[in-house]
Amino acid sequence: MKNKYTVEGMTCSACSAAVNRTVQKIQGVKDVNVNLLTKSMTVELDENIDNLNIDEKIIEAVNSAGYKASVFSEEKASGKEETGANLVREELKEMKNRVIWSFVFLVPLMYVSMGHMIGLPMPSFLIGDENAVSFAMVQLLLTLPIVFLNRKYFQVGFKTLFKLSPNMDTLIAIGSGAALVYGVFAIFRIGYGLGHGDMDIVNQYTHDLYFESAAMILALITLGKFLETRSKGKTSDAIAKLLNLAPKTATVMRDGKEETISVDEVVIGDVVVVRPGASIPVDGVVVEGRTSVDQSALTGESMPVEKNVGDKVHAATVNKSGYFKFKAEKVGNDTTLAQIVRLVEEAGSSKAPISKLADKISGIFVPVVIVIAIVSSIIWYALGYGFEFAMTIGISVLVISCPCALGLATPVAVMVATGQGASNGVLVKSAEALELMHSIDTMVLDKTGTITEGKPKVTDIMPFGVDEKELLIIAASIEKPSEHPLAEAILAKAKDNDLELVEVESFNAVPGRGITAIIDGKSYVAGNIEMMRDNSIKVPDSVNGNNLSQEGKTPLYFAKENTFIGVIAVADTVKESSKSAIKELKDMGIDVIMLTGDNETTAKAVAGSLQIDNVVADVMPQDKESIVRKLQEEGKKVAMVGDGINDAPALVRADVGIAIGAGTDIAIESADIVLMRSDLNDAVFAVKLGKATIKNIKQNLFWAFFYNTLGIPLAAGVFYPFFGLKLSPMIGALAMSLSSVFVVTNALRLRFFNRE
């Protein structure tokens, strides 16, 4: 049994982790999945638990952790304004405003606090010890808006501290908060000094203002988080577009008359009318008529499928030709389309945020730093060095340890890498994707539109008793009135050869078989082998259509006056770039698996030409997703490359989803990486870019901690008794800033990464 909840107030992975831990402790809870993107939580429960009672316990637990939970409402979630995509956009907009306004106040703050050190002109009311209070108050007034804008760090940081699970936000909150509090304390001391005429105190505390440290910590970390958020994908957009795929209305037979109603009003048993070119609104079975249905969006099949009485049809597929009626069997949330939507949602929920190396390090680093700061202050105070000295030591440790560079290490590298990827036709939508690409050992490729062109082309022209040009003119002229994709391939071939077509006097389509036509008073027949047999047309033994079929081609037979005149083969051809890309992937040690909704014969023909050993044919959307999941359960790191709506669940389920840019919007929105040039060689580049990025991130993490580990002993006063060396919070803040400069500079080296 699974219950779903809406959770508000989460701002980072630490928040979702805290919610997860809190709910996991409740008796009767088997598993918890918290989705930070959609602000939702799915809880798997024991079957014997009282549902109402457990809801109350879960909501109470989440609320006690400082967040707000409620039972998930389908009606509320279906509203456009409540989609996950809108939530992400709102969060990004809010974070962007925080970054902009933080720096609006930070720039003048840095000028006031440090401008006099480098000889910059300063207002007269801020110069001299007699104006020390004004000097300090201006800094405080410029700092407070930055603190207010970024108050979430304090809310989350102190909350996790009180729950004995401190994280990076805790260090930010304590370091920034301590500098702020000490600055306020310094203002009082300055006031005391001025009131008692003790200018030594005034001078001392004028130099002990650390407001700029508090503000800079918050501003830089917010910038890093903004870059990180912007680099994330918008998986939830796929769900909204999937829901919009099905038509909003349906034409049904009521009391013997056609009636157009909302698709939500269709009930099981209704007879639905579908005209040529219309989308099918719900799932059902054909009860009258014949047609061909384009199911490529749902199943990935490159060719339309013939539908006769008794055949099943699915919502969101398109009726290509023919008027037919079908009986509704699955409506609403039971349709195949709705099942795909659920798969996308579930796969997105179950994909936990990647556990970054920084988080693992900070899990140990943060508590240790806090302990060092506290212990150092206590020791120096106990040694008789005074409260101010001891507090300065503690703040210095916290400030130099504050992980500004750590917060920038990943997002800056990711942003540079995504920019480099975009310039090479690879659109990276999530930091997780780049971090995971370096460890991919299995790549699952959809066939239609990914390995192949995605549309049929003429591959063979085999005339019999006529020349090739005449056969193509006849074929194109006959097929011109048809809307069948195979006809489009023949017309395209004739156009490429600048052939002039002839007028067709009579045209008749035979569903599931082919076409009959009259040209210049002579009868012509075109279609599959059954069409030839139905018209008693003998096809020579030398014309072996089976060989063409085994090569993944569709043979179309043509006859004039009941005499066979040739065959034209049409196929969805392999892209020129696919073979070299697949070879390079295999050379890199990556297993390549091809999945397709096409039949086994076509699939094996394509796989054989590309030397792909692992092929799975005749797969439905659910199969693709479950195959990817099975590979993951075997311990594989899986990348999925696809272009169709049917690939969306598998793209989301995979460790890294890669969409072909020429594919559907749904696939593109579901994926983590988009290949804008629809070239599989770009998938190879994405793997290499991922490897380079993770290497750069690890280097950044080294620089992020280099100053910390080097500066902490100095800040703690270890060398003070021997050499008189003590790191002031000001120098600590400078060192912390320098580590950020090192990180950004190193990340910029990714701009020179290329395909070689």
Side-chain angles (χ1 to χ4, degrees):
M1 180 172 65
K2 289 186 178 181
N3 286 7
K4 193 170 182 180
Y5 305 85
T6 299
V7 182
E8 298 176 14
M10 297 188 297
T11 59
C12 63
S13 58
C15 299
S16 57
V19 172
N20 193 307
R21 285 195 302 270
T22 301
V23 177
Q24 196 78 54
K25 295 175 183 177
I26 300 173
Q27 187 175 2
V29 172
K30 294 170 65 177
D31 189 34
V32 182
N33 273 316
V34 181
N35 190 329
L36 183 62
L37 181 68
T38 59
K39 313 297 183 188
S40 63
M41 173 176 66
T42 304
V43 182
E44 187 176 352
L45 306 167
D46 286 335
E47 296 293 334
N48 300 325
I49 293 296
D50 177 6
N51 197 54
L52 182 61
N53 189 38
I54 197 68
D55 281 345
E56 293 176 354
K57 287 183 178 179
I58 289 172
I59 291 172
E60 184 181 345
V62 174
N63 292 349
S64 68
Y67 306 94
K68 185 178 179 181
S70 59
V71 176
F72 180 79
S73 168
E74 288 284 353
E75 292 181 4
K76 185 178 180 182
S78 63
K80 294 290 182 184
E81 69 280 1
E82 292 296 327
T83 62
N86 284 336
L87 290 172
V88 172
R89 281 192 288 270
E90 288 172 11
E91 181 183 1
L92 196 59
K93 183 180 178 181
E94 185 266 342
M95 195 172 287
K96 183 178 180 180
N97 287 334
R98 281 169 52 199
V99 170
I100 292 172
W101 283 105
S102 292
F103 278 88
V104 164
F105 288 101
L106 180 64
V107 171
L109 173 61
M110 296 302 294
Y111 186 96
V112 170
S113 63
M114 296 186 173
H116 62 284
M117 297 180 184
I118 55 176
L120 293 176
M122 298 286 287
S124 58
F125 70 92
L126 298 179
I127 300 174
D129 288 344
E130 64 276 12
N131 292 314
V133 171
S134 299
F135 179 70
M137 286 302 297
V138 168
Q139 292 185 50
L140 174 61
L141 291 175
L142 287 170
T143 302
L144 289 177
I146 299 175
V147 173
F148 178 76
L149 286 166
N150 300 286
R151 59 192 179 278
K152 288 183 179 179
Y153 297 121
F154 297 93
Q155 294 167 347
V156 175
F158 287 118
K159 187 192 308 173
T160 55
L161 177 63
F162 295 147
K163 291 189 173 293
L164 302 180
S165 56
N167 58 13
M168 283 170 56
D169 285 345
T170 306
L171 204 55
I172 294 166
I174 295 177
S176 180
L180 179 65
V181 170
Y182 187 78
V184 173
F185 169 76
I187 291 176
F188 282 100
R189 294 294 290 162
I190 291 171
Y192 175 86
L194 287 173
H196 290 77
D198 190 341
M199 301 310 289
D200 288 338
I201 290 179
V202 174
N203 186 269
Q204 175 190 342
Y205 283 98
T206 300
H207 289 88
D208 280 352
L209 294 170
Y210 305 122
F211 292 121
E212 78 286 346
S213 298
M216 186 161 53
I217 290 167
L218 297 172
L220 287 176
I221 289 293
T222 301
L223 174 62
K225 285 187 176 290
F226 169 72
L227 294 174
E228 189 171 23
T229 302
R230 198 172 74 168
S231 70
K232 290 180 180 177
K234 300 176 182 178
T235 303
S236 53
D237 274 353
I239 298 173
K241 291 189 177 182
L242 279 171
L243 290 170
N244 290 330
L245 194 64
K248 300 297 182 287
T249 60
T251 302
V252 300
M253 299 298 296
R254 296 274 173 91
D255 300 323
K257 296 180 181 179
E258 291 187 9
E259 183 179 339
T260 301
I261 62 174
S262 168
V263 72
D264 297 329
E265 298 175 23
V266 178
V267 296
I268 295 174
D270 271 342
V271 175
V272 184
V273 177
V274 185
R275 290 181 169 78
S279 294
I280 297 169
V282 296
D283 292 4
V285 60
V286 178
V287 294
E288 182 184 324
R290 285 181 173 182
T291 189
S292 62
V293 175
D294 181 359
Q295 298 185 157
S296 59
L298 211 58
T299 66
E301 292 170 287
S302 53
M303 304 295 180
V305 178
E306 301 294 337
K307 298 291 183 180
N308 297 302
V309 174
D311 290 335
K312 292 185 180 296
V313 291
H314 302 283
T317 56
V318 180
N319 179 25
K320 296 293 287 184
S321 61
Y323 169 96
F324 75 98
K325 298 177 181 178
F326 73 94
K327 184 178 180 181
E329 289 189 335
K330 293 181 179 179
V331 299
N333 292 328
D334 295 326
T335 64
T336 302
L337 176 66
Q339 290 173 10
I340 293 178
V341 171
R342 275 198 297 275
L343 283 171
V344 172
E345 287 180 324
E346 289 172 7
S349 297
S350 63
K351 184 192 282 185
I354 186 172
S355 179
K356 294 184 175 65
L357 184 59
D359 292 333
K360 294 178 181 177
I361 297 172
S362 63
I364 302 170
F365 181 75
V366 173
V368 168
V369 166
I370 293 172
V371 170
I372 291 173
I374 294 172
V375 170
S376 299
S377 296
I378 293 173
I379 290 174
W380 286 110
Y381 184 74
L383 291 174
Y385 280 83
F387 175 75
E388 291 88 349
F389 185 92
M391 188 172 181
T392 303
I393 289 289
I395 292 176
S396 296
V397 171
L398 289 170
V399 170
I400 197 171
S401 305
C402 200
C404 279
L406 190 61
L408 291 169
T410 297
V412 173
V414 168
M415 287 305 297
V416 176
T418 53
Q420 188 65 12
S423 66
N424 283 273
V426 177
L427 178 61
V428 181
K429 297 166 57 185
S430 73
E432 289 84 355
L434 275 175
E435 293 192 40
L436 280 170
M437 281 304 287
H438 83 287
S439 59
I440 292 299
D441 54 30
T442 304
M443 190 167 288
V444 178
L445 306 177
D446 171 55
K447 182 186 79 71
T448 306
T450 301
I451 295 176
T452 65
E453 295 289 352
K455 58 182 180 180
K457 289 185 178 180
V458 172
T459 57
D460 301 88
I461 301 176
M462 302 164 62
F464 198 88
V466 295
D467 61 28
E468 184 174 304
K469 180 179 178 181
E470 183 181 352
L471 175 60
L472 189 54
I473 290 174
I474 291 170
S477 300
I478 294 173
E479 297 285 1
K480 186 177 181 181
S482 173
E483 296 179 352
H484 199 284
L486 299 183
E488 294 173 7
I490 293 174
L491 286 167
K493 183 67 174 178
K495 185 178 180 181
D496 291 342
N497 286 273
D498 296 322
L499 299 180
E500 187 174 340
L501 307 186
V502 295
E503 286 295 323
V504 176
E505 298 168 16
S506 175
F507 174 88
N508 181 47
V510 182
R513 291 290 191 269
I515 298 168
T516 61
I518 295 176
I519 300 175
D520 293 332
K522 296 179 181 179
S523 63
Y524 289 85
V525 178
N528 56 26
I529 192 67
E530 286 79 12
M531 187 68 170
M532 298 295 109
R533 290 169 183 162
D534 291 347
N535 289 273
S536 302
I537 297 169
K538 181 173 176 56
V539 177
D541 295 336
S542 59
V543 179
N544 195 331
N546 288 333
N547 286 344
L548 293 171
S549 297
Q550 288 172 3
E551 294 173 7
K553 302 172 183 177
T554 300
L556 297 174
Y557 301 88
F558 295 87
K560 175 182 178 181
E561 296 286 271
N562 292 329
T563 301
F564 178 75
I565 59 171
V567 60
I568 295 178
V570 177
D572 183 12
T573 55
V574 174
K575 294 177 183 177
E576 292 183 7
S577 60
S578 294
K579 190 167 187 177
S580 61
I582 290 169
K583 181 181 184 301
E584 192 163 358
L585 287 170
K586 293 173 73 174
D587 289 344
M588 292 167 67
I590 296 174
D591 291 332
V592 178
I593 299 173
M594 187 178 84
L595 300 185
T596 177
D598 276 354
N599 61 68
E600 189 172 352
T601 301
T602 301
K604 286 187 174 180
V606 173
S609 67
L610 297 169
Q611 297 181 342
I612 298 176
D613 301 321
N614 300 317
V615 183
V616 184
D618 297 310
V619 293
M620 292 297 286
Q622 298 88 334
D623 299 326
K624 290 187 178 183
E625 188 272 343
S626 62
I627 289 168
V628 170
R629 180 162 15 98
K630 185 179 178 182
L631 288 168
Q632 290 173 323
E633 289 169 354
E634 293 173 359
K636 305 280 189 181
K637 288 290 184 182
V638 183
M640 168 73 190
V641 187
D643 74 322
I645 294 166
N646 61 298
D647 299 318
L651 287 171
V652 180
R653 171 66 66 182
D655 295 284
V656 181
I658 304 175
I660 295 295
T664 65
D665 288 345
I666 313 301
I668 291 172
E669 291 297 345
S670 298
D672 303 300
I673 295 175
V674 180
L675 310 182
M676 301 306 293
R677 291 191 291 226
S678 304
D679 188 335
L680 270 184
N681 281 314
D682 288 343
V684 178
F685 172 76
V687 175
K688 292 179 178 179
L689 182 63
K691 290 179 182 294
T693 303
I694 195 67
K695 181 180 178 181
N696 190 277
I697 288 172
K698 288 180 178 179
Q699 291 170 346
N700 287 348
L701 293 175
F702 167 77
W703 284 114
F705 283 104
F706 179 74
Y707 281 109
N708 296 135
T709 53
L710 191 67
I712 286 174
L714 188 61
V718 172
F719 303 109
Y720 186 75
F722 309 104
F723 309 106
L725 294 176
K726 181 174 77 75
L727 191 68
S728 72
M730 179 73 73
I731 302 301
L734 180 62
M736 179 265 294
S737 300
L738 284 174
S739 66
S740 298
V741 172
F742 268 90
V743 163
V744 172
T745 304
N746 185 57
L748 289 175
R749 293 192 306 110
L750 282 171
R751 291 184 303 175
F752 305 107
F753 179 80
N754 54 44
R755 291 175 174 271
E756 299 303 323

